[in-house]
Amino acid sequence: QLQASGGGLVQAGASLRLSCVVSGSTFGVDAVGWFRQAPRNQRKFVAGISWSGVLTTYADSAEGRFTISRDNAKNTVYLQMNSLKPEDTAVYSCAAVTDWRWVKVSSKYNYWGQGTQVTVSS
């Protein structure tokens, strides 16, 4: 199971840290990704991290502002979001995939957590 939290309402320029707790059997999990979906838009990849924590990758929109990290002891993946913009407003979800090659492809993910709403006001 994956449990996402940490969303909220902030002003432009502020920061938020999202958390994704991965519980239960993690056998076969190769990566955890964050995706977001704004109203009337498709779900989009934001950032991904390998289960080892060694590899990370970001969408262009997140590069330089967002940082994904993992706490092995807590089985938790974080998404630190800085310099937030109104266009970052969306429901953010975390998910687990069994092959790093598909980390940016939402349809390849096997397990999804519920989303957490992030709203950035201008």
Side-chain angles (χ1 to χ4, degrees), residues 7-122:
L9 171 62
V10 297
Q11 290 189 330
S15 299
L16 277 176
R17 188 178 78 161
L18 306 183
S19 299
C20 176
V21 178
V22 183
S23 61
S25 175
T26 57
F27 179 78
V29 173
D30 199 32
V32 172
W34 283 98
F35 292 80
R36 68 186 184 186
Q37 187 168 19
R40 298 175 296 281
N41 284 346
Q42 289 186 333
R43 180 182 287 163
K44 295 181 180 179
F45 171 77
V46 177
I49 187 167
S50 61
W51 193 238
S52 66
V54 172
L55 302 174
T56 60
T57 187
Y58 298 89
D60 288 346
S61 58
E63 190 77 56
R65 297 188 300 129
F66 295 3
T67 302
I68 190 170
S69 61
R70 180 171 182 269
D71 184 327
N72 292 342
K74 297 181 179 180
N75 269 4
T76 300
V77 174
Y78 301 101
L79 183 67
Q80 177 68 43
M81 305 187 295
N82 299 328
S83 302
L84 283 164
K85 305 174 182 179
E87 50 263 44
D88 294 319
T89 295
V91 174
Y92 285 70
S93 301
C94 59
V97 68
T98 56
D99 192 330
W100 170 257
R101 293 176 299 171
W102 306 118
V103 66
K104 294 185 178 182
V105 183
S106 61
S107 62
K108 297 292 188 180
Y109 276 70
N110 311 91
Y111 312 100
W112 288 86
Q114 93 297 346
T116 184
Q117 176 71 46
V118 172
T119 303
V120 184
S121 63
S122 58

